[in-house]
Amino acid sequence: MNQAENKALMMGNEAIARGLVENGCSVATAYPGTPSSEILSSVAMYRRQLGIDMHTQWAVNEKIAFEIAYAGSQAGLRTAVSMKQVGLNVASDPLMSAAYMGCVGGFIIISADDPGPHSSQTEQDSRMLAVMAKIPVLDPDSPGQAKAMVGMAYDLSETFKTPVMLRPTTRVCHSRQDVQPGDIPVSTRQPDFKKDPLRWAATPKFRYQLHLELEAKLADIARQTATAPLLRNPQAGGRQAVVASGVAAAYTAEALNDLGLWERLPFYQVLQPFPLHTDFMKQLLANHDDVLILEESTGIIEMQLADHRRVKGKLNHVVPRVGELLPEKVERLLADFTGQAVTIPELPPAPGRRPTLCAGCPHRASFFAIKKAAPRGIYTSDIGCYTLGLNLEAVDTVLCMGAAISQAAGFYHAYRNAEKRPDVVATIGDSTFFHAGLPALIDAVNHNVRFVLVILDNRTTAMTGSQPTPATGTGVSGEALVKVDMETLIKGCGVEFLEVGDPYDLANFTAMVKKAVAFSRSHGPAVVIARHPCIIDLSRQGKGTDPVRVTVNDDCDGCGYCLQHFECPALVAVDDGARTAVDPLICTGCGVCLNVCPKGAIVADR
């Protein structure tokens, strides 16, 4: 099959996906998470368009996705798993063992980092987990290089029988570049799992031996020429040098040209931050007395060089430890490093807008009902769009996937002997419930935790781009799958109170949550499923219900209750705050706000 075409404008995640199919990936799995989400959907698109025989799957969480793809590699196929950096925490258990046992077919772990952070709980550096797991990691600077590194990673993985991490960052994942598509090979590989219990089911005694072998692999990988650092401007010389990796390397190349330093300041680009090449470390410190290291987010390269008298970077606070290394920061660091007196314009911060739930989002109604039902409660929540419930004072804690339920249990146990025990209401999305909430619910039932769990079931994984959940009954390409029934699952955990309601029906839904709160105070866990489709998802599908036209009448005295406690973007203060009005360009016509104004000033416009 020959698919060589002219260059195409590709997003970084699309380029990575293209690299996977061009290199014979047979199994690709993922759990959605920005900035990585488009990798798997793009692989699925190529699979459909080009008729490629491969398996693509959204898994229920990153650990499951990892283990499915890894098993394919054990059977000799080329496989890949993708996720965001905090998802790698979920997959860290199989990651550590897979590094010891190695692989047969090439196995790539794509962990997309989010320096900034733009849409993540942390700025953690996936390369640190690669160091901990003792697997090589490649750090692309652009979409084109990310695609090329997929092939490099498969070669490295199969040469050394080890998983390899590809670590793009947000600016690589979501930037676009003209990329040359390559041929799509016809895969001749057949699964051929060779039983080897001493390796694949190794007991601790044999794990020690595998660890020795892993250390030997790393030493060999650190001598490979294919992934060795590149001297980008060999004509330059001198005792000073700059070393960069990832997108910081792309910024460095531009900044050196802008500052007139390209011809005189040696610039090394590190393709493989770990393990750093042995000969490179020796030559760098032998040839240069003063070295600046530019990398996001942690000083991985810098730590391996380990000569802090001559090496400047994050560890000695020359380079900022927090936030992205934006082009203007890189230029400033290079100017300071070389003693250049230049004026680099600082862009004024763009005016921000308070993040809020979408107009018509069913979660807003759920939060309004929860505050009515448990007005002095403790509200634990989770990772997803609904984190924005904090603006409505309906979210008190957000820790990590699934923690809403565990933390609710923790607050119950903390207050269980208190004279006045607060009501505890946890909120979690449907996808997050399947991801990590289910084990926590089992634990809560087992220990008879008296709390209310409200599952915000909008029938999709909304925050990351509307990927399906196990309850949706569709796969990554829209193919039909077996639906997992949420109610049956919850009842199977032993929950005795379970009701399902539509938060758009605010009065009845509020009564349902009040009933759940009353049950939980004396009996145990109560679960309410707040079920209404995501308004954005419905819009994309061209679906929707008849809109309710809403207006604000003269009874409005500008008290601002609706703005503070409901915070719908379609409700706006006008006349210097003297009254509220409805913005018809934003209003979706859900009609929920008709139940919000205590004075009855929000009415249907008939």
Side-chain angles (χ1 to χ4, degrees):
M1 183 185 302
N2 188 331
Q3 292 292 332
E5 305 160 358
N6 294 326
K7 285 186 176 181
L9 185 64
M10 292 187 192
M11 183 196 291
N13 285 343
E14 295 169 344
I16 292 170
R18 182 76 193 192
L20 290 173
V21 298
E22 288 180 9
N23 284 279
C25 178
S26 295
V27 178
T29 60
Y31 182 80
T34 306
S36 71
S37 301
E38 298 86 359
I39 296 173
L40 184 67
S41 55
S42 299
V43 170
M45 176 193 71
Y46 286 125
R47 180 178 68 81
R48 289 193 308 272
Q49 289 181 350
L50 304 175
I52 302 169
D53 181 17
M54 66 184 300
H55 176 70
T56 53
Q57 175 184 344
W58 291 119
V60 72
N61 65 31
E62 294 84 354
K63 179 178 184 292
I64 307 299
F66 187 107
E67 291 161 350
I68 292 169
Y70 180 61
S73 164
Q74 289 177 301
L77 302 178
R78 285 189 164 186
T79 66
V81 59
S82 57
M83 62 199 76
K84 68 181 298 179
Q85 88 282 14
V86 289
L88 189 61
N89 301 341
V90 180
S92 61
D93 205 2
L95 169 67
M96 298 299 158
S97 283
Y100 274 45
M101 293 188 287
C103 57
V104 180
F107 179 45
I108 304 178
I109 303 149
I110 305 165
S111 184
D113 282 2
D114 186 21
H118 298 277
S119 59
S120 305
Q121 305 95 299
T122 68
E123 285 190 271
Q124 68 189 66
D125 191 326
S126 293
R127 300 177 305 170
M128 291 292 280
L129 273 176
V131 174
M132 187 173 173
K134 300 183 177 180
I135 61 170
V137 53
L138 303 178
D139 207 352
D141 68 4
S142 61
Q145 192 176 65
K147 174 176 173 289
M149 279 186 170
V150 171
M152 195 181 288
Y154 274 130
D155 290 342
L156 193 61
S157 178
E158 293 183 343
T159 299
F160 293 96
K161 305 299 180 191
T162 183
V164 174
M165 181 183 291
L166 180 67
R167 180 257 192 178
T169 54
T170 302
R171 301 293 177 181
V172 174
C173 291
H174 288 164
S175 61
R176 293 180 183 272
Q177 183 182 22
D178 282 339
V179 177
Q180 178 67 56
D183 293 344
I184 306 297
V186 177
S187 177
T188 57
R189 295 191 185 209
Q190 295 296 320
D192 183 19
F193 177 64
K194 291 183 170 52
K195 295 188 179 184
D196 183 0
L198 295 184
R199 180 181 179 190
W200 301 129
T203 56
K205 175 183 175 183
F206 295 102
R207 297 264 172 157
Y208 177 78
Q209 182 60 38
L210 292 173
H211 189 185
L212 291 174
E213 294 173 7
L214 179 56
E215 293 292 343
K217 284 182 190 176
L218 284 175
D220 287 343
I221 291 169
R223 290 192 286 268
Q224 285 291 297
T225 56
T227 56
L230 305 173
L231 177 57
R232 297 282 302 275
N233 51 352
Q235 75 282 5
R239 303 307 295 177
Q240 283 191 312
V242 59
V243 176
S245 74
V247 75
Y251 298 157
T252 298
E254 290 183 11
L256 288 175
N257 279 304
D258 291 346
L259 294 169
L261 294 170
W262 184 260
E263 299 296 326
R264 65 183 180 88
L265 182 65
F267 165 36
Y268 299 90
Q269 181 180 4
V270 172
L271 307 179
Q272 178 185 286
F274 179 81
L276 196 56
H277 284 64
T278 314
D279 289 345
F280 169 72
M281 288 191 280
K282 292 177 183 173
Q283 290 169 10
L284 183 74
L285 296 177
N287 295 335
H288 305 286
D289 299 323
D290 195 12
V291 179
L292 177 67
I293 310 291
L294 299 173
E295 55 184 325
E296 293 177 321
S297 303
T298 311
I300 299 291
I301 299 169
E302 188 183 349
M303 282 191 288
Q304 293 171 88
L305 288 167
D307 185 340
H308 304 307
R309 293 171 302 173
R310 289 188 286 169
V311 175
K312 296 181 172 67
K314 291 173 178 286
L315 298 181
N316 46 25
H317 299 276
V318 172
V319 177
R321 291 183 171 194
V322 177
E324 289 184 278
L325 284 182
L326 296 169
E328 55 270 24
K329 281 188 186 176
V330 168
E331 194 163 340
R332 167 60 64 195
L333 288 164
L334 285 168
D336 291 345
F337 178 62
T338 55
Q340 296 257 21
V342 296
T343 302
I344 299 171
E346 297 284 343
L347 296 175
R353 185 173 65 87
R354 179 181 165 97
T356 186
L357 296 166
C358 302
C361 176
H363 299 339
R364 176 177 289 103
S366 296
F367 285 128
F368 192 80
I370 289 168
K371 287 198 301 178
K372 288 286 186 184
R376 288 175 291 281
I378 295 175
Y379 310 125
T380 59
S381 194
D382 227 290
I383 308 298
C385 302
Y386 45 90
T387 301
L388 296 173
L390 61 91
N391 291 345
L392 300 167
E393 300 178 342
V395 169
D396 294 321
T397 68
V398 176
L399 181 62
C400 61
M401 297 284 274
I405 302 172
S406 312
Q407 287 197 288
F411 283 117
Y412 166 71
H413 292 306
Y415 281 94
R416 64 184 305 164
N417 296 321
E419 185 177 348
K420 291 185 177 179
R421 194 178 72 221
D423 297 319
V424 181
V425 182
T427 48
I428 192 170
D430 45 344
S431 183
T432 310
F433 174 70
F434 288 117
H435 177 285
L438 192 55
L441 180 60
I442 293 170
D443 188 82
V445 170
N446 190 218
H447 291 87
N448 197 34
V449 175
R450 298 181 181 185
F451 82 115
V452 176
L453 171 62
V454 180
I455 300 176
L456 304 168
D457 182 8
N458 60 4
R459 318 306 287 172
T460 188
T461 314
M463 192 176 199
T464 50
S466 301
Q467 292 82 12
T469 76
T472 311
T474 54
V476 62
S477 299
E479 71 275 21
L481 300 177
V482 176
K483 291 184 181 181
V484 175
D485 185 80
M486 188 181 288
E487 289 92 312
T488 303
L489 200 60
I490 293 166
K491 288 178 182 174
C493 293
V495 172
E496 295 180 4
F497 183 103
L498 171 62
E499 295 200 7
V500 183
D502 184 346
Y504 267 25
D505 183 3
L506 190 57
N508 286 324
F509 185 76
T510 304
M512 183 183 295
V513 180
K514 286 181 178 178
K515 187 177 164 188
V517 170
F519 178 91
S520 71
R521 286 173 182 160
S522 55
H523 291 84
V527 177
V528 173
I529 299 176
R531 182 165 290 158
H532 195 96
C534 168
I535 193 78
I536 300 295
D537 215 25
L538 282 178
S539 175
R540 286 174 180 156
Q541 297 173 31
K543 299 177 181 176
T545 54
D546 292 336
V548 179
R549 295 187 60 188
V550 176
T551 188
V552 181
N553 65 24
D554 292 341
D555 290 338
C556 177
D557 59 4
C559 72
Y561 179 89
C562 59
L563 302 178
Q564 180 182 352
H565 296 280
F566 198 62
E567 203 190 41
C568 178
L571 295 173
V572 293
V574 296
D575 299 338
D576 292 329
R579 60 190 304 274
T580 299
V582 176
D583 184 343
L585 296 178
I586 299 176
C587 180
T588 63
C590 69
V592 177
C593 61
L594 294 173
N595 302 283
V596 170
C597 177
K599 303 175 180 67
I602 302 176
V603 297
D605 185 11
R606 301 184 189 283

